[in-house]
Amino acid sequence: MQPLLHDLVSVVHAPASALGGADGQLRPTGAQGLFHADYRVISEAVLRVDGREPVAVAHSLTGPGAAVFVGLLPWLGDLSPDPTVRVERRRRLTADGMTEHVTFANTSHEPVTLGLTIDLACDLAAIETVKSGGLTAPVAVHLDGDHPVWRQGGLAVGVAAPDARVDAADTTVQLSWAITVESGSTTEVSWAATVSDPRAVLIEPAGPVEWERPELVADDRRLTRLLEQSLDDLESLRLAEAGTPEDVFLGAGVPWYLTLFGRDSLWAARMLLPLGTELAAGTLRTLARRQGRALDPRSGEAPGKILHELRRHEFHVALDGEELSLPPAYYGTVDATTLWISLLHDAWRWGLAEDVVEELLPTLEAALTWLDEYADPDRDGFLEYLDTSGLGLANQGWKDSGDAVRFADGRLAEAPIALAEVQAYACQAATNAAALLDAFGRPAADKWRTYAVELSKRFRSAFWVDGPRGAYPAMALDRAKRPVDALTSNIGHLLGTGMLTAEESARVAELLASPELAGGYGLRTMSDRDGGYNPLSYHCGSIWAHDTAIAVTGLAAEGHADAVAVLTEGLLIAAEAVGYRLPELHGGDARTDLRRPTPYPAACQPQAWSAASAVAIVHAASGLRPDVPGGQITLRPLAGAPLGGFTVRGLRVAGRRVSVTVGRDGSASLTGTPSALTILP
């Protein structure tokens, strides 16, 4: 079985991450350990004092890549109801490893003497082996002078521990210190693990963080705290390819997906556009270099197609009787190509330099070739997917688990499948591409405008269904072109894309805010009235922060303030319950049944698009929509200020810092706007 993650604390500085217990221990079990670039480089780091584990009382994230764990040593110090000796374990991740500072504080009346040990081991297990619940034999340790080192296949993990005694035996290392802490004072020791991995595909970016760190003052302090934690997490997820450290993108999530994911990295970069365009440029260029050039059923590659996932070697996972075996560069995604087009367009609108846009236009045109020639293999007018290899992803939209696409009665849909939101992405991408082609004097703009109009007509005819709950868009079409009639969160992705009329948009907003979809802590992936619903299903009833934020963004763009308020309130309650680090997903249980969200036990945390959702929500509430090439900027906040009043300083338009203030009455003001832009109400 896949190891559970919900009770672990993750500390990240990509490409390194550490997952351990709330007590700070890294135990040789499950998904615990220090990871680097898809390998577990420390499989055990257990601290003991006098042969006993401290009594864990607290832990806290303390910034990007940092955390502290607090324990008590009740057998030491004064005989008193109050603890007088404590230990703090301060963990800091770097791109090439981890350092821990262990501090003992003695408030008792006498000095205390103690023996500290830290037991270490290393198995160099591949991330897919850990994810599958498999076991890897520990690696033999060697001493390089006084420093223990584990080596295998060009990968080396070294340990340094000043002033420690080092005992190495076969595969394990014990660090030990004899420590005296005077009354009223503290004593500190440290140790570090450093990784040398010359074959790593992904590395730490070369420069500082690319985006602004905005300051938010809000009536709803939950929103401020969520944004602060999310910005820390986003900073820790920055990655670049080994050959191009200047092109930055966000790794999808920890621990399983700390790598380049086309869809995830694109959505996260798109949500962060209000903070600057540099991340978008790095993400676009990185994916452009790996754009498909040939037809390959094994990898899913096709000319013009955008990558789904990048690994250093084949990614082989066997879970629940199903086998997944993906090549290092895997293209099994039906939506990343259209999302790439729309990110390029949106970044241009936010002020991405014209020379950068122009450099990427050949990639845009190749992506349109994929949309024209390969995205619709049966030529029925809809984008669809089918894994012909038998080893790839059966479902290739964002809901990519094997059982994600279901009818209202719970039956599984059979591929090829045409997803509702994928048609909307294509409609929006075609419109956006036409705008770019026109602006840069390239041909075929009219063709793609016509494509968008015709696609929306076909969608209206084929996808809309009617039943006891009224009319709504189906989740998908199945192999027989039947509407897959479950009511799902997919419909939220249709908003703001040009796919819906105003009347259809209002109907979708009504459904998104209904108790059957919005009765939990955010937007359920599936209505609780459908046959496939399970509040702890990965994609059929759970709640994903990014999915909720995409719906909120679309609702705000089309003016549905009440629905925005319903969905955002659920997500903010969830954020408060988990210390404002939103996980990949949580359970879809009703708020009337449970006073806090149920953790999804295998959810990654942090997750790029979950963290980016905080920025998306603030942006949606602000109503700021720039069109730098058109010389104008619109400021149209939500009517009635459903999220309360706020001021956000440090958004960036055309490279300039701007500030937006939204009053409690819904009024708004904008300062710092470039003089070349006209502000429209």
Side-chain angles (χ1 to χ4, degrees):
M1 290 183 62
Q2 180 171 309
L4 305 185
L5 308 172
H6 66 285
D7 58 352
L8 301 184
V9 177
S10 58
V11 187
V12 188
H13 185 134
S17 61
L19 284 84
D23 56 1
Q25 306 286 34
L26 306 183
R27 303 181 189 276
T29 183
Q32 297 195 38
L34 172 65
F35 295 83
H36 183 273
D38 276 356
Y39 279 101
R40 181 161 56 191
V41 293
I42 294 290
S43 55
E44 178 180 6
V46 174
L47 179 152
R48 295 181 177 88
V49 177
D50 300 334
R52 303 160 71 173
E53 293 191 26
V55 178
V57 292
H59 72 276
S60 177
L61 300 173
T62 54
V68 61
F69 304 87
V70 181
L72 304 179
L73 309 176
W75 61 91
L76 296 174
D78 294 341
L79 292 175
S80 163
D82 299 326
T84 56
V85 182
R86 62 187 268 168
V87 56
E88 291 188 359
R89 188 175 185 176
R90 294 190 173 271
R91 178 171 297 158
R92 178 164 290 280
L93 272 285
T94 58
D96 62 351
M98 178 177 79
T99 299
E100 286 193 341
H101 292 270
V102 183
T103 303
F104 295 93
N106 177 16
T107 59
S108 72
H109 292 88
E110 301 291 338
V112 295
T113 299
L114 55 90
L116 168 66
T117 61
I118 299 177
D119 293 313
L120 303 173
C122 167
D123 62 2
L124 293 180
I127 192 70
E128 63 269 25
T129 302
V130 180
K131 182 176 173 65
S132 298
L135 298 176
T136 300
V139 175
V141 66
H142 305 279
L143 286 177
D144 184 358
D146 293 332
H147 300 300
V149 180
W150 292 272
R151 290 190 178 92
Q152 184 173 280
L155 187 63
V157 186
V159 170
D163 303 320
R165 173 178 170 175
V166 178
D167 294 299
D170 297 328
T171 60
T172 61
V173 170
Q174 185 175 80
L175 311 175
S176 58
W177 295 261
I179 296 171
T180 298
V181 190
E182 298 295 333
S183 174
S185 68
T186 62
T187 299
E188 180 180 283
V189 300
S190 66
W191 71 279
T194 304
V195 182
S196 174
D197 187 7
R199 299 180 185 176
V201 174
L202 302 178
I203 61 171
E204 180 183 27
V209 176
E210 293 69 24
W211 54 83
E212 290 281 350
R213 187 176 180 108
E215 301 170 9
L216 175 67
V217 178
D219 288 346
D220 192 333
R221 294 183 182 181
R222 297 172 303 174
L223 194 57
T224 301
R225 291 167 183 154
L226 174 60
L227 182 63
E228 289 173 352
Q229 180 58 53
S230 297
L231 291 169
D232 282 352
D233 287 334
L234 290 164
E235 181 176 335
S236 71
L237 292 168
R238 297 166 63 246
L239 281 170
E241 286 197 272
T244 51
E246 69 282 358
D247 282 340
V248 181
F249 58 88
L250 291 174
V254 176
W256 316 129
Y257 310 124
L258 193 52
T259 185
L260 175 65
F261 268 74
R263 177 192 308 117
D264 301 51
S265 300
L266 287 163
W267 264 122
R270 198 174 181 187
M271 290 177 178
L272 262 62
L273 280 172
L275 310 186
T277 59
E278 289 82 357
L279 176 66
T283 305
L284 290 163
R285 283 194 292 255
T286 299
L287 289 166
R289 283 192 293 270
R290 293 187 172 273
Q291 188 174 32
R293 290 176 174 79
L295 283 171
D296 182 0
R298 174 73 177 87
S299 68
E301 184 180 0
K305 195 175 186 183
I306 295 298
L307 179 84
H308 173 60
E309 178 177 352
L310 181 66
R311 300 283 183 175
R312 63 192 295 160
H313 51 231
E314 185 160 305
F315 190 77
H316 181 86
V317 175
L319 285 171
D320 302 324
E322 295 184 4
E323 188 172 345
L324 188 69
S325 185
L326 308 181
Y330 179 60
Y331 290 79
T333 169
V334 72
D335 52 14
T337 308
T338 52
L339 291 171
W340 188 97
I341 294 170
S342 288
L343 176 61
L344 177 63
H345 170 270
D346 291 359
W348 172 60
R349 293 280 294 259
W350 278 91
L352 182 63
E354 289 200 356
D355 61 334
V356 177
V357 177
E358 195 152 21
E359 171 195 339
L360 291 166
L361 290 179
T363 305
L364 166 69
E365 290 169 329
L368 291 171
T369 297
W370 174 81
L371 185 57
D372 195 25
E373 298 181 11
Y374 300 100
D376 178 16
D378 65 2
R379 315 310 293 176
D380 70 339
F382 296 115
L383 285 73
E384 57 213 354
Y385 60 81
L386 173 67
D387 172 52
T388 58
S389 72
L391 295 172
L393 291 167
N395 283 314
Q396 298 186 359
W398 86 260
K399 294 180 179 178
D400 58 3
S401 54
D403 63 351
V405 185
R406 294 175 174 269
F407 288 87
D409 61 9
R411 289 177 296 123
L412 290 176
E414 295 185 37
I417 288 171
L419 291 167
E421 76 275 15
V422 170
Q423 317 314 313
Y425 299 162
C427 177
Q428 186 176 42
T431 303
N432 289 342
L436 285 163
L437 295 172
D438 267 346
F440 287 87
R442 313 285 268 231
D446 287 343
K447 168 186 174 178
W448 290 106
R449 272 189 287 269
T450 300
Y451 174 96
V453 171
E454 295 301 320
L455 178 56
S456 65
K457 290 178 182 177
R458 288 192 298 272
F459 182 89
R460 190 164 294 113
S461 173
F463 275 79
W464 278 82
V465 297
D466 212 341
R469 55 169 58 104
Y472 60 96
M475 178 187 191
L477 303 181
D478 75 348
R479 181 175 65 180
K481 311 302 178 185
R482 293 172 298 192
V484 181
D485 59 348
L487 177 60
T488 64
S489 65
N490 300 55
I491 64 174
H493 294 232
L494 309 180
L495 295 164
T497 64
M499 181 65 85
L500 304 177
T501 66
E503 183 181 351
E504 291 166 344
S505 169
R507 174 59 180 152
V508 167
E510 178 187 359
L511 290 166
L512 291 173
S514 67
E516 58 184 302
L517 282 177
Y521 295 94
L523 178 63
R524 290 189 180 112
T525 43
M526 179 178 284
S527 159
D528 65 357
R529 291 169 52 186
D530 281 300
Y533 171 77
N534 171 0
L536 285 177
S537 162
Y538 198 53
H539 288 128
C540 298
S542 61
I543 292 168
W544 292 61
H546 88 281
D547 189 31
T548 304
I550 290 170
V552 164
T553 299
L555 288 163
E558 302 207 15
H560 301 292
D562 291 344
V564 166
V566 170
L567 292 179
T568 303
E569 176 62 17
L571 204 59
L572 288 173
I573 296 172
E576 186 176 34
V578 296
Y580 297 99
R581 175 184 265 184
L582 284 169
E584 179 185 14
L585 71 157
H586 55 265
D589 298 277
R591 278 188 256 176
T592 53
D593 293 338
L594 295 171
R595 293 189 176 182
R596 57 184 297 139
T598 305
Y600 182 85
C604 292
Q605 194 179 35
Q607 189 88 349
W609 58 12
S610 293
S613 296
V615 179
I617 289 169
V618 173
H619 171 229
S622 75
L624 181 67
R625 296 181 182 86
D627 179 4
V628 173
Q632 60 189 34
I633 186 167
T634 302
L635 185 62
R636 198 170 297 154
L638 291 169
L643 305 188
F646 64 88
T647 295
V648 57
R649 302 180 183 91
L651 303 182
R652 207 192 303 172
V653 177
R656 288 277 302 273
R657 283 175 57 93
V658 303
S659 299
V660 176
T661 295
V662 175
R664 294 174 185 173
D665 60 354
S667 61
S669 62
L670 177 65
T671 59
T673 312
S675 58
L677 299 183
T678 301
I679 303 175
L680 303 178

